[in-house]
């Protein structure tokens, strides 16, 4: 375990660097120790060691190597997402193959090796800005890839979600759709508190955009907007009662 202390200005962040390559680890610890926005720097050479440090609960910013033996950086990030107050994450890697997946986890930045000090300082700036901003739901922004460019869509703009194997397609209110890699069941659980409801094994709808609930011959369906059209989605019998109760609660 390596630890360096720096002078501590207001809002300075306590950081952890995780990388299985000792030279990279040493360089990041040294560079971060030169930044007065970083209160302290700790280091770990494995995912297991990192989790022991994180379990202490005082780390606010983590620099995660993506590819490591055992627990990868992405796997550690998923575990951190379950923390009551997860630390901010900056991914560090030799390639950009996982950029979209990283931003889906709301990483504040994605650094490519070899690390340049000025680029690292920009990552710290973003993390500090995020720390100073009003907290938002961890999945309020969704990273999508369009023509090789990573962009973001607001979760609130999603009208409904459609399952497509191990992926889901997000249909947005102003038209168009985006494919992201996450199971529908996982998404439905994570977005439930934000007003999304499972209506079918293949569909989740945003109740904020619900225009109409239809019941005909014992079968239910809902209408939600996408572009200039209203899309009708069938409601499975096992979800119908819970959906009606949710609509009633929102109307009170």
């Amino acid at each position: 375990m390596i630890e360096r202390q720096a002078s501590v200005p207001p809002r300075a962040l306590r950081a952890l660097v995780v990388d299985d390559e000792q030279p990279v680890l040493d360089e990041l610890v040294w560079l971060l120790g030169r930044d007065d926005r970083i209160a302290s720097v700790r280091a770990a050479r494995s995912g297991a060691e990192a989790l022991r440090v994180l379990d202490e609960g005082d780390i606010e910013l983590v620099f995660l190597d993506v590819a490591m033996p055992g627990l990868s950086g992405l796997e550690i990030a998923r575990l951190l997402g379950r923390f009551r107050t997860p630390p901010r994450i900056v991914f560090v890697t030799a390639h950009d193959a996982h950029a979209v997946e990283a931003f889906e986890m709301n990483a504040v930045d994605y650094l490519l090796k070899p690390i340049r000090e000025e680029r690292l300082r920009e990552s710290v700036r973003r993390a500090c800005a995020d720390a100073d901003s009003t907290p938002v739901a961890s999945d309020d922004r969704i990273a999508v890839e369009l023509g090789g460019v990573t962009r973001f869509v607001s979760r609130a703009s999603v009208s409904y979600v459609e399952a497509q194997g191990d992926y889901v397609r997000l249909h947005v209110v102003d038209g168009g759709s985006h494919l992201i890699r996450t199971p529908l069941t996982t998404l439905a659980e994570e977005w439930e508190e934000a007003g999304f409801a499972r209506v079918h094994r293949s569909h989740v709808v945003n109740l904020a955009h619900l225009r109409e609930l239809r019941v005909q011959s014992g079968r239910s369906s809902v209408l939600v907007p996408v572009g200039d059209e209203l899309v009708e989605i069938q409601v499975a019998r096992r979800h119908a009662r819970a959906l009606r109760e949710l609509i009633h609660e929102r109307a009170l």
Side-chain angles (χ1 to χ4, degrees), residues 112-123:
L112 292 177
K113 300 176 183 178
I115 304 301
R116 295 180 292 112
E117 184 171 11
E118 60 270 26
R119 185 64 182 83
L120 178 62
R121 289 184 66 84
E122 171 62 15
S123 293

Side-chain angles (χ1 to χ4, degrees), residues 27-235:
E27 180 182 24
L28 279 171
V29 168
W30 182 73
L31 289 174
L32 289 169
R34 288 159 51 90
D35 195 319
D36 61 6
R37 295 165 298 181
I38 298 298
S40 64
V41 188
R42 303 183 69 176
R45 289 197 60 182
S46 69
E49 187 178 0
L51 290 176
R52 285 195 293 271
V53 176
L54 289 161
D55 192 51
E56 297 174 11
D58 64 346
I59 298 298
E60 300 165 292
L61 174 60
V62 183
F63 291 83
L64 272 177
D65 185 20
V66 172
M68 294 186 294
L71 282 173
S72 71
L74 294 173
E75 290 171 327
I76 294 172
R78 293 189 187 99
L79 292 173
L80 292 181
R82 301 175 186 175
F83 282 32
R84 181 179 296 274
T85 307
R88 290 148 192 89
I89 296 173
V90 174
F91 285 102
V92 182
T93 183
H95 50 79
D96 59 1
H98 298 285
V100 171
E101 189 172 2
F103 280 109
E104 286 173 0
M105 298 178 183
N106 279 299
V108 297
D109 208 352
Y110 192 88
L111 285 174
L112 292 177
K113 300 176 183 178
I115 304 301
R116 295 180 292 112
E117 184 171 11
E118 60 270 26
R119 185 64 182 83
L120 178 62
R121 289 184 66 84
E122 171 62 15
S123 293
V124 175
R125 185 198 68 76
R126 294 182 185 185
C128 290
D130 185 74
D132 289 339
S133 64
T134 303
V136 296
S138 61
D139 54 359
D140 187 61
R141 297 186 309 159
I142 304 104
V144 298
E145 188 170 3
L146 298 171
V149 177
T150 303
R151 297 181 181 175
F152 297 92
V153 297
S154 166
R155 180 176 59 184
S157 71
V158 176
S159 185
Y160 75 98
V161 184
E162 178 184 12
Q164 294 191 354
D166 292 332
Y167 292 75
V168 294
R169 184 168 293 280
L170 310 177
H171 297 268
V172 295
V173 174
D174 59 359
S177 65
H178 308 282
L179 194 67
I180 64 171
R181 186 170 184 176
T182 187
L184 186 70
T185 298
T186 300
L187 181 142
E189 292 174 354
E190 293 178 350
W191 289 16
E192 183 178 3
E193 292 186 0
F196 286 76
R198 185 81 175 261
V199 298
H200 190 273
R201 66 180 180 181
S202 300
H203 293 96
V204 168
V205 299
N206 186 347
L207 296 178
H209 297 302
L210 190 65
R211 294 288 182 83
E212 188 177 327
L213 171 64
R214 292 179 176 177
V215 180
Q216 295 178 337
S217 303
R219 290 187 171 274
S220 303
S221 63
V222 292
L223 272 66
V224 291
V226 175
D228 296 328
E229 300 180 352
L230 286 178
V231 177
E232 185 173 8
I233 299 171
Q234 295 300 315
V235 178

